[in-house]
Amino acid sequence: MEKNIEISLLFDFYGQLLKEGQQKCVTLYYNDDLSLSEISDQLGITRQGVLDSIKRAEKRLYAFEEKLGLLERFQKTERGLYKIESLAQSLNDRYDKTTVQQIIETAKSLHE
Amino acid sequence: MEKNIEISLLFDFYGQLLKEGQQKCVTLYYNDDLSLSEISDQLGITRQGVLDSIKRAEKRLYAFEEKLGLLERFQKTERGLYKIESLAQSLNDRYDKTTVQQIIETAKSLHE
């Protein structure tokens, strides 16, 4: 099973909605980078139990994002903020009204 | 019962996690601004049933925010974006390196 970076992001958003056992398995697997066998030893459940728990958790995390789309919304804002930062940095080198306007437009496009 | 603006915001974030009946009642009450009696007529359930459904929905919406805090996180970002917009507007009137720096710092503080 390949470790999926998107799961860590989704877990950061929706992890608190998972059952406690699922939260533990996902944290140990994705954040602490333990293997399934190590988690199995640590929690005293079978390796298959750990795998099932992680698989169920992943499915629920994707379902939350499918319904709410908050990670996507957040990532769009992040990209905009990096763009604003880079535009503002360029103003330090050279003042330019078009760049100022781009900052304003980007900020406007990101808030309600 | 006073209509609570925060519920509309929470519903925008977490509404899709509510049961379908709760979603209907909250939408009619908060977004379409119908009275409990009007919703009762429209959905063919008792006024008390509508009230119970809305109360349960509100409780769940608050519980989601208590666990995930995503509305608060987004509101913080919104405030930052308004600040950036206003700082950038002021650059249109007068170029000032400190203002540029404030834009950069604000954008930085809002992304990961």
Side-chain angles (χ1 to χ4, degrees), chain A residues 68, chain B residues 10-19 23 61:
Chain A
L68 307 185
Chain B
L10 290 169
F11 185 71
D12 176 42
F13 269 70
Y14 306 119
Q16 293 298 316
L17 298 180
L18 297 176
K19 288 176 191 160
Q23 285 185 41
L61 291 172

Side-chain angles (χ1 to χ4, degrees), chain A residues 85 91-92 95 97 108 111, chain B residues 85 91-92 95 97 111:
Chain A
E85 196 184 325
L91 286 179
N92 270 328
Y95 177 60
K97 288 231 162 195
K108 270 197 175 142
H111 62 61
Chain B
E85 195 185 326
L91 285 179
N92 270 328
Y95 177 60
K97 288 232 163 192
H111 62 61

Side-chain angles (χ1 to χ4, degrees), chain B:
Chain B
M1 180 161 78
E2 209 181 306
K3 295 198 182 182
N4 180 343
I5 178 76
E6 201 177 16
I7 295 294
S8 296
L9 296 171
L10 290 169
F11 185 71
D12 176 42
F13 269 70
Y14 306 119
Q16 293 298 316
L17 298 180
L18 297 176
K19 288 176 191 160
E20 209 183 316
Q22 290 175 345
Q23 285 185 41
K24 269 189 197 158
C25 288
V26 171
T27 301
L28 293 170
Y29 189 70
Y30 283 104
N31 297 356
D32 302 341
D33 205 27
L34 265 58
S35 71
L36 294 175
S37 302
E38 287 167 332
I39 301 171
S40 163
D41 288 346
Q42 186 159 327
L43 299 182
I45 51 178
T46 64
R47 190 182 173 288
Q48 186 61 43
V50 175
L51 183 59
D52 289 347
S53 184
I54 291 173
K55 285 289 166 202
R56 273 196 300 272
E58 289 179 349
K59 210 170 154 184
R60 290 195 69 204
L61 291 172
Y62 279 119
F64 289 133
E65 178 62 7
E66 177 82 22
K67 281 188 175 173
L68 307 185
L70 297 174
L71 174 60
E72 194 188 330
R73 191 163 162 178
F74 275 84
Q75 285 179 324
K76 191 184 152 210
T77 305
E78 291 271 292
R79 286 193 295 273
L81 287 164
Y82 278 109
K83 186 179 165 192
I84 287 171
E85 195 185 326
S86 145
L87 288 165
Q89 290 284 7
S90 80
L91 285 179
N92 270 328
D93 303 326
R94 197 173 71 86
Y95 177 60
D96 170 44
K97 288 232 163 192
T98 311
T99 306
V100 172
Q101 207 48 43
Q102 282 175 318
I103 292 173
I104 294 168
E105 292 308 319
T106 306
K108 269 195 177 144
S109 75
L110 295 174
H111 62 61
E112 303 285 285

Side-chain angles (χ1 to χ4, degrees), chain A residues 70-81:
Chain A
L70 297 175
L71 174 61
E72 193 187 330
R73 194 164 158 178
F74 177 77
Q75 287 179 322
K76 190 184 153 211
T77 306
E78 290 272 289
R79 287 192 293 274
L81 287 164

Side-chain angles (χ1 to χ4, degrees), chain A residues 47-65:
Chain A
R47 188 181 175 286
Q48 186 62 42
V50 175
L51 183 60
D52 289 347
S53 184
I54 292 174
K55 285 289 167 204
R56 272 196 300 272
E58 290 179 349
K59 210 171 155 183
R60 289 196 71 204
L61 291 172
Y62 279 119
F64 289 133
E65 177 64 7

Side-chain angles (χ1 to χ4, degrees), chain A residues 93-107:
Chain A
D93 304 324
R94 197 173 71 86
Y95 177 60
D96 170 45
K97 288 231 162 195
T98 311
T99 306
V100 172
Q101 206 49 45
Q102 282 175 319
I103 292 173
I104 294 169
E105 291 307 319
T106 306

